[in-house]
Amino acid sequence: MALYWGSASPFVRKVMAAAHELGLQDSIEIRDSAAHPVERDARIQAFNPLAKVPAAATDDGTMLYDSRVICEYLDSVAGGGLFPPAGPARWTALRRQALGDGLLDAALLIRYEMLARPAEHQWPVWIAKQREKVEDALNAMAADIPAEDCHDIGALTYACALGWLAFRFPEFAWQEGRPALAAWHEAYEARPAMRATRPSA
């Protein structure tokens, strides 16, 4: 599988961490890209009309995007492991994945507003309201921490979201007031899949 990749993308990290967890990392051909909300990368667009990473193509030419689809594809190739079978555990895992992805969506909108939009056109109220979403998501995570032995797609998405928030927005200090969530995240980041996929600028 060919994958358009960005070293700092939390959604790319999610895919690569999933690949490592499933033992598929060596089957992925990494392609560098320059994803940007304004200056769209035509190379990525060949795989994903939205020109967003991660975007993948399987060996038979099937195009796959976004991270949720690619992770489920990898899980199917590996014969399962990240996505629980039908039942309560699956709905919990998928809900946690949606929460982690939603936190990232809100935080990325803050980053885009601050970096891609000219300063005179930035909207402080917009930034504040996206920050509220981030804080609400963090509080929901703190109230729904995965078990220590839970390593499904929900837990992995939580970890990638929290890791990226610490990477890009250390000033948010999301760990303050959430000691149990911070301890869980520190332990999860020690997993080999997470160590191998830490973001870089």
Side-chain angles (χ1 to χ4, degrees):
M1 185 178 82
L3 177 76
Y4 275 108
W5 178 89
S7 63
S9 166
F11 295 111
V12 169
R13 186 189 189 192
K14 181 176 143 188
V15 167
M16 292 307 300
H20 278 269
E21 290 284 2
L22 297 165
L24 297 175
Q25 67 273 17
D26 293 335
S27 69
I28 297 176
E29 172 198 336
I30 298 297
R31 297 188 180 184
D32 282 329
S33 63
H36 190 275
V38 178
E39 302 297 331
R40 300 169 74 215
D41 188 332
R43 295 171 298 175
I44 308 170
Q45 198 169 358
F47 280 21
N48 177 357
L50 302 174
K52 296 169 66 175
V53 293
T58 67
D59 292 344
D60 67 4
T62 300
M63 301 302 177
L64 300 172
Y65 47 87
D66 56 7
S67 66
R68 289 165 289 194
V69 175
I70 300 171
C71 286
E72 193 154 1
Y73 170 80
L74 292 173
D75 195 63
S76 72
V77 169
L82 286 179
F83 289 80
R90 181 176 181 84
W91 300 124
T92 296
L94 293 180
R95 184 190 72 239
R96 287 172 174 163
Q97 177 179 217
L99 182 61
D101 285 349
L103 182 155
L104 288 171
D105 286 339
L108 279 164
L109 287 174
I110 296 173
R111 181 165 172 78
Y112 293 157
E113 184 76 8
M114 295 171 65
L115 293 183
R117 189 183 294 273
E120 64 272 19
H121 296 302
Q122 290 177 16
W123 190 10
V125 174
W126 172 266
I127 294 173
K129 291 302 179 182
Q130 300 308 317
R131 176 70 184 271
E132 281 184 16
K133 294 180 185 180
V134 170
E135 293 295 329
D136 288 345
L138 287 167
N139 290 335
M141 288 180 178
D144 182 35
I145 299 172
E148 186 177 340
D149 61 351
C150 177
H151 306 124
D152 62 20
I153 192 63
L156 188 150
T157 306
Y158 268 23
C160 288
L162 295 171
W164 188 83
L165 204 58
F167 170 65
R168 283 300 192 202
F169 292 100
E171 68 274 18
F172 284 11
W174 67 260
Q175 301 90 337
E176 292 183 7
R178 304 180 184 95
L181 184 62
W184 174 85
H185 180 249
E186 183 178 5
Y188 202 97
E189 281 283 353
R191 292 183 63 76
M194 302 304 288
R195 292 201 308 269
T197 58
R198 285 187 178 137
S200 59

